[in-house]
Amino acid sequence: MSEREKPPGKGTAESHGQYISAIYRHMQILISAELAPYRIGSGQYIFLMAIAFREPITQKALSESLLIDKTTTAKAIAKLEAEGYVRRETDPADNRYQLLYLTEEGREVVPKVRQALDRVKGKTRQGISDEEYDVLLRLLKIVLRNLSGREGKPE
Amino acid sequence: MSEREKPPGKGTAESHGQYISAIYRHMQILISAELAPYRIGSGQYIFLMAIAFREPITQKALSESLLIDKTTTAKAIAKLEAEGYVRRETDPADNRYQLLYLTEEGREVVPKVRQALDRVKGKTRQGISDEEYDVLLRLLKIVLRNLSGREGKPE
DNA sequence: CCAGATAGGGTGTTATTGCAACTATTTTTT
DNA sequence: AAAAAATAGTTGCAATAACACCCTATCTGG
């Protein structure tokens, strides 16, 4: 089987897709382990951090800024609420909206989550200079924009 | 809330993690749509392509080279087998091994899958030069190695 | 030769995620 | 003002993925 030679164009050859998915899966595992003590899963921490940063915020706004389906958001928020980190309050001006706030426990756990995420980031960033990391982020942003037609605004 | 100033070090600030996960999720959706006509899901195509490239191969070897849990591999292969794209054969020399082969249908569908993946790749690569893309791949490889302790060898 | 170790696979359960379809509320249209 | 459309959120279902644990086949040491 000798299909080892790369086509010259932008054909098959190596692709970012496989790296992206492997990195994603492994990061999920790492983050799950780091956040297990707080009973926050890999599907919830993004929302927790985003709420901390933009409180009060609706689920719709969260979904859009994180580029995550609204039903996924609903379920993640439900878990964070069940754990006592987030509180929902119906917007009195429009009862369709649920305004999300951190609870006291939420405010206490956020710095710990941030530290855990920084540990993961630091580990996965090893061997990459600040300049290279900037390039990486810039290119990932382009890929994401190509996929979503929007900017993603994490954190 | 003014935590907007970046710590000078490699502290919080922007992180590749969020981009990685958003890209991963959106690529899954795109690929699922592209491969739906062949009833191949986003969880199976990697295995199909890897088998096409390294046939015959065991599930264990697949799991290791793709950095995917063996039970995930087992289930994906079961689906590909159910669709008639892959055939299992017990290694006569050692009955613990299942050697995986493409079927005729598998051999026919592989080029179509490859084209679909190339379309996705092409779309997501827009605005990135060949040189930049090489840099992207190199940096992603480093991140993956940091996470897995191994090289990943996709496709 | 047989007990135990080793190794490849598989099953059951759980978490994350997205889609289709639904409810409830608000806004727009007629 | 009543009907229709839009909007925020939820529920049920299915796919992806991993872990803990179990099964079965092979190999090794007594």
Side-chain angles (χ1 to χ4, degrees):
Chain A
M1 291 292 138
S2 65
E3 1 193 335
R4 194 172 290 272
E5 54 278 4
K6 310 181 182 180
K10 65 177 75 173
T12 307
E14 255 186 329
S15 164
H16 59 287
Q18 322 242 353
Y19 294 108
I20 294 280
S21 66
I23 292 169
Y24 171 78
R25 288 181 286 101
H26 285 261
M27 284 192 76
Q28 292 257 89
I29 294 170
L30 244 186
I31 291 174
S32 290
E34 288 274 353
L35 300 183
Y38 317 114
R39 287 168 325 195
I40 296 172
S42 65
Q44 289 111 54
Y45 75 93
I46 327 179
F47 296 99
L48 183 75
M49 301 309 286
I51 294 169
F53 195 61
R54 302 178 53 185
E55 179 188 27
I57 187 174
T58 66
Q59 295 187 190
K60 180 81 189 317
L62 271 183
S63 296
E64 285 176 354
S65 83
L66 298 175
L67 298 171
I68 293 178
D69 187 87
K70 62 178 179 167
T71 67
T72 302
T73 301
K75 285 157 190 168
I77 299 301
K79 287 198 178 181
L80 286 172
E81 193 184 22
E83 293 295 341
Y85 293 132
V86 165
R87 173 169 54 87
R88 296 188 215 215
E89 211 164 277
T90 303
D91 185 346
D94 187 334
N95 288 330
R96 288 174 303 182
Y97 290 79
Q98 304 277 308
L99 295 177
L100 303 173
Y101 299 88
L102 289 186
T103 62
E104 261 318 299
E105 291 96 330
R107 235 172 287 282
E108 283 164 20
V109 87
V110 159
K112 295 172 187 165
V113 172
R114 196 189 309 275
Q115 286 162 21
L117 294 176
D118 282 347
R119 280 195 296 276
V120 171
K121 179 184 176 184
K123 173 174 182 180
T124 61
R125 254 200 69 168
Q126 274 174 12
I128 297 180
S129 72
D130 287 357
E131 292 74 22
E132 286 175 320
Y133 194 73
D134 287 344
V135 173
L136 176 61
L137 289 184
R138 183 173 61 80
L139 295 175
L140 289 177
K141 269 182 234 186
I142 296 175
V143 172
L144 181 55
R145 190 172 348 110
N146 288 340
L147 276 163
S148 71
R150 296 186 58 247
E151 322 291 315
K153 313 193 152 173
E155 161 68 314
Chain B
M1 288 293 137
S2 65
E3 0 193 332
R4 194 172 291 271
E5 53 279 4
K6 311 181 180 176
K10 64 178 77 173
T12 307
E14 254 186 329
S15 165
H16 58 288
Q18 322 242 353
Y19 294 108
I20 295 280
S21 65
I23 293 169
Y24 170 78
R25 286 181 287 101
H26 285 261
M27 284 191 76
Q28 292 258 88
I29 293 170
L30 245 186
I31 291 174
S32 291
E34 288 275 353
L35 300 184
Y38 316 113
R39 287 169 324 193
I40 296 173
S42 65
Q44 289 112 55
Y45 76 93
I46 327 181
F47 296 99
L48 182 76
M49 301 310 286
I51 294 169
F53 194 60
R54 303 179 52 186
E55 176 189 28
I57 187 174
T58 66
Q59 295 188 189
K60 181 83 189 314
L62 270 183
S63 298
E64 286 175 354
S65 83
L66 298 175
L67 298 171
I68 293 178
D69 186 87
K70 62 177 180 167
T71 67
T72 302
T73 301
K75 285 159 189 164
I77 299 301
K79 288 197 179 181
L80 286 172
E81 194 183 22
E83 292 295 342
Y85 293 132
V86 165
R87 173 169 55 86
R88 298 187 213 214
E89 209 165 279
T90 304
D91 186 345
D94 187 334
N95 288 330
R96 288 174 304 184
Y97 291 78
Q98 304 274 312
L99 295 177
L100 303 174
Y101 300 88
L102 290 186
T103 62
E104 262 318 300
E105 291 96 331
R107 234 172 288 281
E108 283 164 20
V109 88
V110 160
K112 295 171 187 166
V113 172
R114 198 190 308 274
Q115 285 161 24
L117 295 177
D118 282 347
R119 280 195 296 277
V120 171
K121 180 184 174 184
K123 173 174 182 180
T124 60
R125 254 201 68 168
Q126 273 174 13
I128 298 180
S129 71
D130 286 359
E131 292 73 24
E132 286 175 321
Y133 195 72
D134 287 343
V135 173
L136 176 61
L137 289 184
R138 183 173 61 80
L139 294 175
L140 289 178
K141 268 183 234 185
I142 295 175
V143 172
L144 181 54
R145 188 169 352 108
N146 288 340
L147 275 163
S148 71
R150 297 187 57 250
E151 322 291 314
K153 315 193 151 175
E155 165 66 324

